[in-house]
Amino acid sequence: MKVTETNLPGVLLIEPDVFVDDRGYFLETFHAERYAEAGIPGPFVQDNLSFSQAGVLRGLHFQNPSAQAKLVFASEGEIFDVAVDVRAGSPTFGRWFGVSLSSDNRRQMYIPEGFAHGFCVVSPRARVVYKCTDVYDPAAEVTVLWSDPEIGIDWPVESPKLSPKDAAALPLGAIDPARLPGYPGG
């Protein structure tokens, strides 16, 4: 498995070892000991699966309290997956990292606690699997506006299909600072 650090500390891009033969392929999507050695500690307590059509954008979401780290991959189709640092006091606050995750490239992204997460579907449809280190808590969920100009994400879709909650989200600068996670040592 190849693990690459990104421009956001703690956000990792994972390329699992893939074993291909004339029958197809095999890969491990998670192995607790190997992933912990690579800097992905867990424990993961909830697995999610979402199915979306082309142009759907989900996010940007985070929880505080009940913060969730996530391990994300596309089991079908292709998504543009994004992490945004929302930790108050962080030197990379408001910065983002995005990458294509697909059933063809089989990459994964690890998003630690303190980061908002979102993705948009760039194929006709996509199934996205993600492991979480805490259970979903609707009272702790915060949604950041996907098109926040201060963050400036270069989404590969101009007019995404959004949920009402995502469409009504506030820009990061308008969110009550008490709702943001803190930066250790910041």
Side-chain angles (χ1 to χ4, degrees):
M1 151 172 88
K2 179 182 175 187
V3 178
T4 305
E5 294 185 21
T6 69
N7 64 330
L8 297 177
V11 176
L12 303 173
L13 183 61
I14 301 104
E15 298 175 68
D17 293 327
V18 181
F19 303 94
V20 180
D21 63 23
D22 60 351
R23 300 167 297 158
Y25 68 87
F26 172 85
L27 69 113
E28 289 180 344
T29 60
F30 180 72
H31 183 290
E33 185 176 307
R34 287 189 191 113
Y35 278 61
E37 288 171 2
I40 302 167
F44 292 99
V45 299
Q46 179 176 318
D47 285 357
N48 299 321
L49 171 69
S50 78
F51 175 79
S52 304
Q53 303 295 327
V56 167
L57 191 148
R58 297 181 185 268
L60 300 160
H61 306 140
F62 69 93
Q63 288 187 181
N64 187 38
S66 305
Q68 295 177 309
K70 296 177 181 176
L71 180 64
V72 183
F73 69 94
S75 65
E76 177 186 352
E78 181 179 1
I79 63 170
F80 182 68
D81 203 40
V82 173
V84 178
D85 189 345
V86 295
R87 300 168 299 165
S90 167
T92 57
F93 179 79
R95 292 192 194 159
W96 64 277
F97 173 78
V99 67
S100 168
L101 303 180
S102 73
S103 53
D104 289 336
N105 69 27
R106 302 176 190 105
R107 294 188 291 196
Q108 301 173 322
M109 186 158 68
Y110 174 71
I111 302 146
E113 295 177 2
F115 290 77
H117 173 248
F119 66 86
C120 69
V121 178
V122 297
S123 57
R125 63 181 182 223
R127 290 184 204 281
V128 179
V129 179
Y130 48 107
K131 303 178 90 49
C132 301
T133 58
D134 204 342
V135 297
Y136 175 65
D137 180 357
E141 186 176 43
V142 180
T143 304
V144 178
L145 182 64
W146 69 278
S147 60
D148 182 340
E150 294 298 314
I151 298 172
I153 298 170
D154 188 15
W155 293 103
V157 60
E158 289 185 29
S159 299
K161 299 172 192 163
L162 302 167
S163 71
K165 174 181 70 174
D166 291 348
L170 296 174
L172 183 57
I175 294 173
D176 179 352
R179 297 294 318 266
L180 300 176
Y183 176 70

